[in-house]
Amino acid sequence: MRKILVTGAAGFIGFHLSQLLMKRGESVVGLDNLNSYYDVTLKESRLALLEKDPRFRFVRAELADRQAMEALFAAEKPEIVVHLAAQAGVRYSLENPHAYVDSNLVGFMNVLEGCRRHQVRHLVFASSSSVYGGNTRMPFSVHDNVDHPVSLYAATKKANELMAHSYAALYALPCTGLRFFTVYGPWGRPDMALFLFTRAILEDRPIDIFNEGQMKRDFTYIDDIVEGVTRVMARPPAPDAAWNGDCPDPATSFAPYRIYNIGNHQPAALMDFISILEGHLGRKAKKNFLPMQAGDVPATFADVEALRADTGFAPQTPLATGIGRFVAWYREYYRCPRD
């Protein structure tokens, strides 16, 4: 039984990943600060389920607290670290940019130092599809340059990739970055579209639809995300002998470092997404069409061939199936009876 540190364990992805790891016989140390970015009660409910398993131990701490992070690594000595904790959200980065520096930059630095000093065998960390920023060539490929972020959130995620590469090169720390594409499903984040739309429709309130509805997203179901994470965890990267500094591939390196997309590789039009949700709820949405928001992009689309080639896995849950599971969870958790 390995000991795995999962940061952000009370968060959406961290909760599901911790459950899956324990189901597969792993011991999980879960770190979270239970901040109030969204409903703390939801985080506490996730945590309560995790703590029913004796293989789970919870540590409440701030990523940016250097002493707390040093003490955590020294005490626990995890074999593998899956770093999911971060200040999330593109739109919130316009309101509170300092939160992103504290959590996503200072906090990640503390994670890297903990991994280096305590001989962690593999650091797997969450990046984001947001790093593609101004890129317009579809599908988004890990082999493409991503130097034009359009939000501070995206810039911090790109910075995480660069910071991890430097530690892979300097200290031979195996690092794998995962660019997640619009994750959804049961126990999801209340600031995400599916949650916002479901709540508003059930409360007979209008939903805000940005870019006048002309949006596409590569919606990726949570079970596919965590399966992809576990596949990657089992494959610490080695230096790529074919890497060439005259024509550098951003996805690989002369160091033990890799980048993968994890996305459904089937982008859906936002209006189709809403239509599927309306079908599961048995209600029509009142729609408030708005212009594009600052920091947003019109479309995302993941190329997952690198993930498929290296792990034999690619997400495949149909959108209608995933939305149906979310709606069923939402009605049960919030005690929303059918009409």
Side-chain angles (χ1 to χ4, degrees):
M1 186 167 63
R2 298 177 299 177
K3 182 181 286 187
I4 299 169
L5 171 62
V6 176
T7 73
F12 175 30
I13 300 175
F15 162 70
H16 283 276
L17 177 63
S18 297
Q19 284 191 317
L20 181 59
L21 291 174
M22 290 187 291
K23 182 179 179 181
R24 295 181 178 181
E26 310 286 10
S27 171
V28 176
V29 177
L31 173 74
D32 209 291
N33 66 356
L34 298 178
N35 71 20
S36 59
Y37 170 64
Y38 64 79
D39 182 15
V40 176
T41 303
L42 181 60
K43 298 179 183 181
E44 291 172 339
S45 295
R46 296 176 185 139
L47 190 57
L49 289 177
L50 294 177
E51 290 184 316
K52 290 181 179 180
D53 194 312
R55 290 167 294 188
F56 182 83
R57 193 172 90 77
F58 177 61
V59 176
R60 184 168 184 171
E62 295 281 349
L63 288 174
D65 184 336
R66 186 190 303 182
Q67 290 185 333
M69 294 298 289
E70 287 176 351
L72 172 66
F73 275 89
E76 299 295 345
K77 295 182 171 55
E79 293 182 49
I80 298 172
V81 173
V82 183
H83 178 56
L84 302 171
Q87 179 56 62
V90 169
R91 291 163 192 165
Y92 187 63
S93 69
L94 305 178
E95 304 168 21
N96 192 1
H98 293 287
Y100 292 77
V101 174
D102 293 342
S103 180
N104 300 7
L105 300 181
V106 177
F108 191 57
M109 181 76 252
N110 291 335
V111 170
L112 286 170
E113 275 293 284
C115 291
R116 173 176 80 92
R117 293 180 182 276
H118 296 280
Q119 292 76 53
V120 167
R121 291 172 49 200
H122 190 189
L123 168 62
V124 179
F125 66 94
S127 185
S128 169
S129 62
S130 296
V131 301
Y132 288 101
N135 289 25
T136 56
R137 183 168 64 179
M138 299 285 179
F140 291 152
S141 170
V142 292
H143 304 295
D144 291 339
N145 179 284
V146 288
D147 284 343
H148 297 86
V150 296
S151 70
L152 180 65
Y153 169 70
T156 63
K157 288 299 186 178
K158 167 69 178 191
N160 287 171
E161 295 180 2
L162 297 174
M163 294 163 72
H165 184 272
S166 72
Y167 269 62
L170 287 168
Y171 308 114
L173 171 65
C175 294
T176 304
L178 303 176
R179 295 172 179 168
F180 298 140
F181 280 69
T182 316
V183 189
Y184 75 100
W187 296 96
R189 280 176 25 208
D191 62 321
M192 298 292 284
L194 181 56
F195 211 114
L196 291 169
F197 290 173
T198 299
R199 175 166 288 171
I201 293 170
L202 289 175
E203 294 176 357
D204 200 31
R205 293 184 290 106
I207 60 174
D208 290 338
I209 302 174
F210 294 98
N211 199 33
E212 310 298 336
Q214 301 303 306
M215 305 277 272
K216 287 188 175 182
R217 286 291 180 271
D218 204 343
F219 296 100
T220 311
Y221 189 63
I222 183 61
D223 288 1
D224 288 330
I225 290 287
V226 297
E227 178 63 29
V229 172
T230 60
R231 297 286 185 107
V232 168
M233 284 172 57
R235 295 179 53 88
D240 181 1
W243 194 86
N244 184 347
D246 288 338
C247 186
D249 180 355
T252 69
S253 177
F254 59 88
Y257 173 87
R258 289 292 184 279
I259 294 290
Y260 296 105
N261 289 332
I262 303 186
N264 204 44
H265 54 100
Q266 296 181 46
L270 180 58
M271 298 309 296
D272 292 340
F273 174 86
I274 294 169
S275 178
I276 293 170
L277 177 59
E278 289 173 326
H280 281 291
L281 292 174
R283 296 189 184 189
K284 287 291 184 181
K286 297 177 179 178
K287 302 176 179 70
N288 182 29
F289 291 94
L290 297 168
M292 178 78 86
Q293 281 201 316
D296 215 342
V297 296
T300 63
F301 180 3
D303 178 341
V304 296
E305 286 311 305
L307 179 71
R308 192 197 309 270
D310 288 354
T311 70
F313 172 77
Q316 57 188 355
T317 302
L319 187 58
T321 300
I323 290 178
R325 292 173 183 168
F326 171 82
V327 169
W329 167 80
Y330 186 97
R331 287 188 181 278
E332 180 180 0
Y333 182 78
Y334 289 103
R335 298 181 176 88
C336 299
R338 293 185 176 275
D339 294 337

